[in-house]
Amino acid sequence: IGVRLVGSEMCIRDSAGTTALLKYEFDIPSREFCIQILKNTGVLFAPGSAMDMEGWIRIGYANDPKILTQGLTVLSAYLDKL
């Protein structure tokens, strides 16, 4: 497992897999945050609370890089509005 700081954000990446955990600083439970993201962007994350890691969301990146890039672009625009 690799841990990396991106600016002030933390990312934990499973070195043997295709998922990563992303730390967020919004005052909202991870399940509710993931539902809001999905409803507003169509981008799917798993809530950290499902893994007993509240305050984190899990991203899977075993997908076409173009689709991943599009999803992250839409997500970024959404988060900029919060």
Side-chain angles (χ1 to χ4, degrees), residues 13-35:
R13 183 176 57 88
D14 182 350
S15 60
T18 57
T19 62
L21 290 163
L22 307 173
K23 178 79 173 143
Y24 67 90
E25 298 295 326
F26 298 105
D27 187 22
I28 183 172
S30 59
R31 184 177 187 281
E32 187 176 332
F33 189 43
C34 288
I35 290 169

Side-chain angles (χ1 to χ4, degrees), residues 43-60:
V43 177
L44 179 64
F45 287 91
S49 61
M51 297 157 278
D52 204 23
M53 294 185 70
E54 190 57 70
W56 296 76
I57 57 176
R58 183 173 143 191
I59 182 173

Side-chain angles (χ1 to χ4, degrees), residues 18 22 43-45 59-76:
T18 57
L22 307 173
V43 177
L44 179 64
F45 287 91
I59 182 173
Y61 47 89
N63 207 336
D64 182 311
K66 290 179 185 178
I67 293 171
L68 182 61
T69 300
Q70 289 171 346
L72 292 174
T73 300
V74 170
L75 174 68
S76 181

